[in-house]
Amino acid sequence: MIPTDSRGLVLDEPLLFEQSQPGRIGYSLPDTEVPQSAPPADLLRDDITDFPELSEVDVIRHYTRLSTWNYGVDSGFYPLGSCTMKYNPKVNEVAARLPGFAEIHPQTPEALNQGALELMYRLEQALTEVSGFPAISLQPAAGAQGELTGMLMIRAWHEARGSKRTKVIIPDTAHGTNPATASLCGYEVMPVSSTGILGRDAVAAVMSDEVAALMITNPNTLGLFEADIRAICDLVHEQGGLVYCDGANLNALMGISRPGDLGIDVMHFNLHKTFSTPHGGGGPGAGPVGVAEKLIPFLPLPVIIKEGDDYHFDYERPQSIGRVKSFYGHFGILVRAYSYILAMGGNGLKKATELAVLNANYIRARLEGAYALPFKERSLHEVVFSEENLGGGCRTLDVAKRLIDYGFHPPTIYFPLVVAGALMIEPTETESKQTLDDFCDAMLAIAAEAEQDPDKLKQAPTRARRRRLDEVTAARKPRLRWLP
Amino acid sequence: MIPTDSRGLVLDEPLLFEQSQPGRIGYSLPDTEVPQSAPPADLLRDDITDFPELSEVDVIRHYTRLSTWNYGVDSGFYPLGSCTMKYNPKVNEVAARLPGFAEIHPQTPEALNQGALELMYRLEQALTEVSGFPAISLQPAAGAQGELTGMLMIRAWHEARGSKRTKVIIPDTAHGTNPATASLCGYEVMPVSSTGILGRDAVAAVMSDEVAALMITNPNTLGLFEADIRAICDLVHEQGGLVYCDGANLNALMGISRPGDLGIDVMHFNLHKTFSTPHGGGGPGAGPVGVAEKLIPFLPLPVIIKEGDDYHFDYERPQSIGRVKSFYGHFGILVRAYSYILAMGGNGLKKATELAVLNANYIRARLEGAYALPFKERSLHEVVFSEENLGGGCRTLDVAKRLIDYGFHPPTIYFPLVVAGALMIEPTETESKQTLDDFCDAMLAIAAEAEQDPDKLKQAPTRARRRRLDEVTAARKPRLRWLP
Amino acid sequence: MRYLPHTNTDIQQMLATIGIADKEALFSGIPADCRLSRPIDLPPGLAEVDILAQLQQLAAKNAQVSDWSSFLGGGAYNHFIPAVIDHLVSRSEFYTAYTPYQPEISQGTLQGIFEFQTMICQLTGMDMANASMYDGASACAEAVLLAVRAAKKRNRVLICKTLHPHYRQTIATYCRYLDVELIAVETDNGTTPLEQVEQLLDERVAALVVGYPNYFGCIEPLSELAARVHTVDARLITAVAEPLALALYKSPGELGADIVVGDGQSFGLPLSYGGPGIGFFAVREKDMRLLPGRLVGETRDLDGNRSFVLTLATREQHIRREKATSNICSNQGMCALMVSIYLALHGKQGLRKLADINYARANWLREQISTLDGFALPFSTPVFNEFVVTCREPVADLKKRLEQQQILAGVAIGRDYPGLESGLLVCVTEQNSRKQMEQLLTALAGEK
Amino acid sequence: MRYLPHTNTDIQQMLATIGIADKEALFSGIPADCRLSRPIDLPPGLAEVDILAQLQQLAAKNAQVSDWSSFLGGGAYNHFIPAVIDHLVSRSEFYTAYTPYQPEISQGTLQGIFEFQTMICQLTGMDMANASMYDGASACAEAVLLAVRAAKKRNRVLICKTLHPHYRQTIATYCRYLDVELIAVETDNGTTPLEQVEQLLDERVAALVVGYPNYFGCIEPLSELAARVHTVDARLITAVAEPLALALYKSPGELGADIVVGDGQSFGLPLSYGGPGIGFFAVREKDMRLLPGRLVGETRDLDGNRSFVLTLATREQHIRREKATSNICSNQGMCALMVSIYLALHGKQGLRKLADINYARANWLREQISTLDGFALPFSTPVFNEFVVTCREPVADLKKRLEQQQILAGVAIGRDYPGLESGLLVCVTEQNSRKQMEQLLTALAGEK
Ligand SMILES: Cc1ncc(COP(=O)(O)O)c(C=O)c1O
Ligand SMILES: Cc1ncc(COP(=O)(O)O)c(C=O)c1O
């Protein structure tokens, strides 16, 4: 059923600073216990100008109210393509908060935190089994940092062999982080256009001894398996290049296909996608990388090793690309991902993949026709429609905003760039048929509204906390902070 | 500022049963680990008919959405008179969940749970200090059960002396639990009417040797201190009766006046009012009783005693009224209350009282005139207006419902019964002047609307999840459960 | 003080508005001889970190069931609590709200209770259930009061001795000064003998109260009892301290009970040293207007939308005052929500599967213990997840001995059941692994 | 599987709608030679209770700071975390949401970040701040990239050796294949000597990077450094690993910094073995369009209501691709929220008071240690809550010795600072009571 009459009290809430009252306090601090002292007066700061002063109840109400203006996976269906907005199990949150995990200091001698090291070691092994890569680094903070780490390793591998290649091939369906990462590694980006699936020939046409690597996403951002992947990897390897795989879409492959078996040299995982850790309103994520044998020497610092029954960080790795952040990994996120793997087991992960793909294909079957499907190959975990069939002069943005009025989070829109007005729908496996039916009913209703009453779309959303925003002024005259 | 434009997406949600799908599961259970077995077939039950079948994400979304249709103290101002809706500190919630408190079994030998007993013993001592009663039982589950416990003790005291009194005097301002409790103890209720404050003479007029006790609320439900309390206690005592005090309003007295010092024989506390434990959408509360020396032998079972450094439950109390519930007290609630007392300290409790009274008087000062004030004595923690001055044919109910549209929880209405259309406002001390000003502005605006545009009130609320309900049909044709 | 938002400026402005000079004047209505003339003698307030440190010290002195092998039951059950429950009840819109007096902004609580009432009906096999009572014992006492009130002139109530002692004691307290005569029904083979019941039943009897399972963990012959009780038009009150049993055994409703009460602690509430638990209270349609406590009913709002609301309030103290069906006001709202979440999460299949595990493990252990030298099973009646064993070794010694091994072996029942001084009530749930049970067996056998 | 809602009926119906016979057909787009032909070799899924048991076993093998006396700092700080924070960030509307791409239903996250940006500006004394970076180290590396990009032809960056080693290493990694030359600036008395800086500064230099406090806990002469750096029109990048210091010491902005980065972990994030932390990144107005990462700005909606939205996206990878200011996509949203709640709760007074406690305790301990035989203070520069002591006893031995007494004495700095092998970095926060400090002193003095 489509929630058409939803309505209720949603309370206003000014900024923290607007509520502040001089002298009001929300803190609770212990005694100093030693004589008071202070740094030299010329180093001392005055009050932090305009910093808020609130009571505990002010703070509680502030954030409680703010939260009610948001929409999360726990609120409802969130088919944001490429983001794998699956359910975030609550036991994972408990796990990450166990005092033996949350209250351990990274500078503690390794011998005293063997449980933490063991957990990470086991997680690496599980990722190895799922992906086929013989070695894993849990260090990168998110997918994009995984990409950076991976591409730096590729470059280090080339340099170690005296090879000075300067280019990286990236298909036009790639996520923006791919070209941005290549640039960060000092590479020049060579875009290659694909017609849905990247053909070996298309790669062959641009591959050369100037090319250090191909960055490929598999399944790609159209939700399609790169069927030529083995041939492409062979081709790139034959010509002295390496292959990076953006593993953001691994949710389509668990138990079905292992990137490490296909010739890929390095891939990042998004634990905040495939392995159910929460997105947190933007992060933190975790972006481990898996590498083929040849790249192991280049892994970032440090690397967890097991000697006998003991776990250590290894820092003595002369060929390593070095450190990409402080300490090691987003441990709190790694605990959640490991907890998820324990809950699912090997079979459960495969089943998750199967149902994620089933869900995407079900949506596709129900919506194809009403929405134009630019690529007809069998979809995996997500399906991408275009805005082509929309009536009444409506655009993808209008569909997205109208979905809000129906109580759903919109899909990813206008990405991938190769589709005109892309509507990129990734349901994930944790959504039931009922939810998908409600969503499809809404999508079909919207398609009909576009024909009959396009203003419904163009004025949407009308039931959310806010109507459409003036984003142009926001960018032209940026106000990025509160000022009195 | 008054939140007049609040609006936002609030999602619909059917009943659990309506979402259920045969075969869907949300549980996660360990293996049996021993051979399967089953009771005799004739004792075995079939499926639980129509019981829900849901996944974990279904359950999460269900209750998450339901929660958004509610209004709590954390949502905003909740001036529900007599209920002391103060802020519920979050550290108390953490305290009650400490495994050493949450995971202890009531049948464990006392020697193994000394920490729990010590905590309760210390809480009793703190309540003694605040109230002036030499002994406390933490056993009663809530205020009303505290009343029952207290009145049973009074009756046991009489019976122990061979006195067979049959009546209990209760002022007309009393809460409904008072007369209901007296009945449960086999007493006949003698109502006495008060004009705001109960005069000694009014009591004298009805006091007799048939009267077992007077039940009084102090401060009473009009928010007024019973100024004749000492004289009244003396009078009742002289004539062989005892005095029960309904301590629901203790928030007005901490550090200011101790009921136990005034001649009261027994009083219940509402820890879920005065001592900040959450109301939980209806409970659980905790309703300890404090007693004068003469009632100590009659305390309910068991009683915590300290011998040397050891704490025990004492069950060998021949004059005890017996047990009023299983085990001992709402321990989880007692932990929260003790945590609150630790946070506040003696001075903090007094300050809480002062500010609670300040807040009530501030509201009174701002609203008097626009709203009729039937009793002019100095208010303590709450103020009661009547509907007398309302224009446009509006009633108290209309004001209450209109307040919802302004983003506030309504006050208690139509109680106490002695005020025509009572509006009973108890702000508590945890509300800031700004919040009170916003609320008073809204109240004044509503009074003006009543004159100028009474339909605004009569149609209210229009911004909540629901408009006014058909309560008559609900009672005439009760549907108390879902049926397919 | 972080919970008190007033700044000095605020206070001054407010006093000025009120028209008084200082806070002292706020209390002018309190006679001098009623004033406390000294500060409250309690330590100064602590910082949050110090509160937690102090409480943690106390908590550390207690025996957590997660650190021990606990076979304790007897009215409080150590079941696993899924993380989802705490996550959801920590939503402050639920737990910082009051009783849902204002239905327009309380539909969350109200729909939640309506669902709770429904699931209690489904589990117990009854027509309607209220929004909760304090606990099983007080619910049971209120059931007795209801039965007596309903039966008009009858004032006798038969109480099976196999009923949980706390329930029996609470009934006695509630009836202490009312015109109710409580008559104990003896025990045979761990359950209530039908012959004795037959003898006691006559036109003076308003009800019979029996546990299901009873305190010994045994399954009482409910339908036989019902048949007999109904011959004199009395009510059968069934009290369920371990409601998980209802997922496996026939429901009291199906077997003829007229009132079913019990405690829902098993369904997602922490042991928490025995409180808060949650009483439930279910009846047949005929007793609807005699129900104690809150009731949520379905209705519509002005726009015709399905809505829920507190209803039939004329039964209650705030309307009926001395004529109310009960004095209960606050109940166990948050606990009802926890129970509902637990039940929804386990669902039809999960609850049965969980009951199967409890049954299989408990009955396996029961068998094993019975083969040990020095132990015997006094009762042959079917049980759910609790059973009594008798021990040659004095029970107090045995318990102490096992405590040395970090085992809480069970509840001694001798104090409540003279003649059964050698009895130990052992409870097994899904929290007791086979390994734990094997350790228990070794420890039991280890008597020198 | 409880996270997978599909019933068999659902699956059959869905396959029929799709028009395929079985799930296998879903994967027809994957060539056979790309298929995994065996099951995933991982243990079967566990029940929730077993997951927690297994994780609890691992957790028990770690040294919780609450069980130890920990004087560890060095980039991660053991501050008390008020219960309010976890309560609020556990609201699933916050933590189960994605980056707020749809502002109409993301105003909670957006207003929260806008407030975060504002408070970071207030603390650092800067004009604008972004929505967060991964951590202090990567933020610092991105600051170097910004400075080089802003400076156009310049490619030299001076890195003070007193900067946290992880920050230095991360900068090196990020710059590895870019045209950036990193030059180390030596150390004197625990801080950066101005003369050397003067010598190194010329028109090739884009920026100087300095810690504040630096890795030794010392307060660098920021305004003097700023003055010198600005003579050649380079940027002063200040990295703050312990931002609580900014409540006590003058802000980098006030002292002339051009870019201020750092890690906010001190403000309410659990230590969590070092991650997730939260990088912050603040600049002057002139660098606005060079900022990496997300930015939230204020605007209005169609009804004219104040609203917040992600803005200036043309800097970012999803629009600018290879020309973006950074490749960052996911950041540390939830951590930013935690920091904001922490800061709002402590407020102006609380943060200062907390900084005072940290300062007083650390400096008291520093004094006390300096009076012990066998210990000395190598640096006389003012510190905040961390300081270096040198020990006669080999640092490794000393640390081991104190571990026997459940004390984590500090961080050995010899590996990162050759020549300072005898140095121990000791950190004191409000979590280290006087009693703990006295125990540390006794233990230190106890060398045989
Ligand atoms: C295909 C793809 N690649 C890379 C990324 C970047 O991952 P992260 O946000 O974890 O840095 C994303 C995230 O949206 C993505 O969808
Ligand atoms: C004055 C008064 N007395 C007694 C009670 C009953 O307390 P409880 O709800 O805890 O049973 C209340 C609660 O509303 C009350 O306000």
Side-chain angles (χ1 to χ4, degrees), chain A residues 5-6 10 12 56 61 87, chain B residues 5-6 10 12 56 87 431:
Chain A
D5 82 328
S6 65
V10 175
D12 282 352
E56 186 166 310
R61 286 195 184 144
Y87 170 61
Chain B
D5 81 330
S6 67
V10 175
D12 281 352
E56 185 166 312
Y87 170 62
E431 299 297 334

Side-chain angles (χ1 to χ4, degrees), chain A residues 81-83 141-145 147 174-175 177-178 217 221 246 248-249 268 270 272-273 285-287 415, chain D residues 98 101 134 294 327-331:
Chain A
S82 210
C83 298
Q145 205 185 35
E147 294 178 32
H175 193 259
T177 48
N178 292 192
T217 306
T221 59
D246 180 329
N249 297 337
H268 78 262
N270 298 68
H272 44 302
K273 300 183 178 179
F415 176 76
Chain D
Y98 201 76
Y101 290 145
Y134 304 134
R294 313 273 184 208
N327 74 335
I328 192 168
C329 179
S330 288
N331 56 22

Side-chain angles (χ1 to χ4, degrees), chain B residues 125-133 253-258 261 346-347 350, chain C residues 34-42:
Chain B
Q125 289 191 308
L127 295 180
T128 283
E129 170 59 17
V130 170
S131 66
F133 292 102
L253 297 185
M254 292 186 292
I256 303 293
S257 174
R258 303 202 313 172
D261 296 345
N347 284 341
K350 177 166 184 185
Chain C
C34 293
R35 291 293 301 264
L36 179 69
S37 54
R38 58 168 180 82
I40 299 179
D41 185 17
L42 288 174

